[in-house]
């Protein structure tokens, strides 16, 4: 039974994602995303489950930066979880009396319209996670009147639900990934995704276009691109890419090798099955058999068999 670290405490959306990814895993709740990833790195856990992006908020930048700078980890699975938020409070609290709300920053963004409309005068404070907020609000002396979290967190910490499904959109989805220390990759399934971090060798006109060309000429379809500051000053960035396919696919392998030739550093973050099961559209000339045939042809040319 694997031991998986995650953003705790009990009742986070991350815990729900972990349970769906591996119902039998032993769960190790951690205070924040870096702590969960460090538990996987150190061997305290066999892996970790962390949020990576949200359909409203976009990238979870702490996760992206940890993947880029920390000891290498590999993504082995992903999950898309619909997220629904509730306004939770101690029994007896009424919405007009709420002056301080506690929740995770991603939830603040996703519930902006509700907060503005229903508790316009409340101060909204960032919590380490939605469940940490619910846990804090449940304490009798808590300085907070309400938490925004999953309904299950309210049930867990003895809070009442003052409002249900308070997200600006009811179809919000958060993408979670399971990571492990470097080891054998998941087998290709025909519906896979690969994640990379790329650092430029130097800044010059067309540097981004050159990177994109490595994908484009091999028919590799990108599914996410993000730039993040390197920390070395304004205008210095590195890039995160998600794209269709597995590193075992010829077109993906060739694109990676191309990036490796022209970039400063390419950090491979894993090839793993896509949660939505979508298979890539393979452009003419970019299938494995066409790459193999072209390789054979080149070998014959090099041998003078023209
Ligand atoms: O706080 C939680 O419950 C989490 O699992 C974190 C998190 C996030 O980081 O985006 C996960 C899903 C929701 O989008 C809000 C918060």
């Amino acid at each position: 039974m694997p031991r998986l670290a995650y953003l705790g405490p009990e009742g986070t959306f991350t815990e729900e994602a972990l349970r769906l990814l591996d119902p039998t895993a032993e769960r190790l709740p951690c205070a924040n995303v870096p702590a969960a990833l460090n538990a996987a790195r150190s061997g305290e856990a066999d892996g970790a489950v962390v949020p990576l992006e949200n359909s409203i908020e976009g990238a979870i930048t702490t996760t992206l930066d940890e993947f880029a700078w920390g000891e290498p980890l590999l993504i082995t699975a992903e999950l898309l979880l619909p997220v629904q938020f509730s306004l939770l409070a101690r029994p007896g609290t009424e919405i007009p009396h709420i002056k301080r709300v506690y929740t995770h920053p991603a939830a603040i963004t996703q519930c902006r319209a509700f907060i503005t409309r229903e508790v316009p005068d409340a101060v909204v404070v960032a919590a380490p996670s939605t469940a940490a907020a619910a846990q804090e609000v449940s304490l009798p002396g808590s300085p907070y009147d309400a938490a925004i979290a999953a309904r299950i967190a309210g049930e867990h910490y003895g809070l009442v639900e003052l409002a249900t499904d308070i997200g600006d959109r009811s179809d919000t989805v958060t993408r979670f990934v399971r990571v492990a220390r470097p080891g054998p990759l998941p087998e290709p399934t025909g519906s896979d995704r690969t994640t990379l971090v790329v650092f430029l060798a130097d800044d010059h006109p067309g540097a981004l276009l050159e990177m994109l060309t490595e994908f484009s000429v091999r028919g590799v379809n990108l599914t996410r691109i993000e730039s993040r500051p390197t920390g070395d000053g304004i205008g210095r960035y590195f890039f995160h890419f998600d794209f269709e396919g597995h590193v075992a696919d010829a077109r993906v392998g060739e694109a990676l090798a191309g990036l490796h030739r022209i970039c400063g550093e390419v950090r491979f973050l894993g090839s793993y099955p896509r949660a939505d099961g979508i298979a890539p559209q393979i452009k003419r000339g970019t299938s494995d058999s066409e790459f193999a045939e072209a390789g054979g042809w080149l070998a014959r040319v090099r041998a003078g068999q023209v």
Side-chain angles (χ1 to χ4, degrees):
M1 189 167 69
R3 189 165 198 239
L4 295 180
Y6 71 99
L7 172 64
E10 263 184 77
T12 57
F13 291 103
T14 311
E15 182 190 323
E16 200 179 334
L18 186 161
R19 285 171 180 272
L20 290 167
L21 279 164
D22 191 342
T24 64
E26 184 191 334
R27 295 183 299 280
L28 175 66
C30 296
N32 49 52
V33 166
L37 295 175
N38 284 339
R41 289 180 176 119
S42 70
E44 191 188 349
D46 301 304
V49 175
V50 291
L52 194 142
E53 64 173 324
N54 177 272
S55 60
I56 302 263
E57 165 90 338
I60 313 292
T61 52
T62 309
T63 304
L64 296 192
D65 292 350
E66 273 291 321
F67 284 169
W69 300 113
E71 279 291 301
L73 288 166
L74 286 179
I75 302 173
T76 57
E78 69 170 12
L79 180 101
L80 301 174
L81 183 77
V83 285
Q84 284 195 345
F85 299 97
S86 297
L87 184 70
L88 306 166
R90 291 179 293 279
T93 310
E94 287 172 10
I95 290 184
H97 300 134
I98 292 175
K99 294 284 169 268
R100 285 172 73 81
V101 176
Y102 200 36
T103 192
H104 188 273
I108 302 176
T109 316
Q110 291 168 67
C111 302
R112 205 182 292 287
F114 175 89
I115 292 169
T116 312
R117 193 178 63 242
E118 301 294 334
V119 283
D121 301 325
V123 175
V124 185
V125 180
S129 71
T130 57
Q135 187 180 40
E136 162 64 40
V137 168
S138 73
L139 303 175
S142 172
Y144 304 103
D145 305 312
I148 294 175
R151 170 185 286 165
I152 192 154
E155 288 166 9
H156 193 82
Y157 296 106
L159 300 175
V160 290
E161 194 176 26
L162 300 184
T164 309
D165 201 4
I166 64 171
D168 293 355
R169 293 183 58 138
S170 53
D171 55 355
T172 306
V173 173
T174 299
R175 179 176 161 225
F176 292 87
V177 290
R178 175 177 177 164
V179 298
R181 289 184 295 283
L185 305 183
E187 292 292 321
T189 64
S191 166
D192 304 290
R193 201 188 309 277
T194 296
T195 301
L196 287 188
V197 172
V198 180
F199 295 87
L200 295 175
D202 56 57
D203 183 22
H204 60 270
L208 180 58
L209 184 62
E210 287 164 17
M211 283 195 277
L212 295 177
T213 302
E214 298 294 336
F215 295 108
S216 158
V217 296
R218 279 130 190 152
V220 176
N221 189 26
L222 297 183
T223 53
R224 183 178 61 87
I225 174 169
E226 218 95 45
S227 62
R228 292 288 304 148
T230 61
D232 296 332
I234 299 293
R236 308 298 296 265
Y237 295 96
F238 66 93
F239 299 88
H240 254 266
F241 292 103
D242 279 346
F243 46 91
E244 291 180 344
H246 192 286
V247 68
D249 299 335
R251 66 187 184 291
V252 172
E254 295 268 336
L256 256 69
L259 288 167
H260 176 77
R261 279 188 280 106
I262 65 166
C263 295
E265 189 195 332
V266 178
R267 183 181 271 210
F268 174 72
L269 292 180
S271 290
Y272 47 92
R274 279 180 77 141
D276 56 18
I278 294 174
Q281 278 189 20
I282 302 186
K283 267 173 57 181
R284 187 168 168 273
T286 66
S287 66
D288 278 6
S289 58
E290 285 162 313
F291 269 99
E293 192 281 327
W297 172 80
L298 183 61
R300 290 193 298 281
V301 168
R302 285 176 171 159
Q305 297 167 6
V306 288

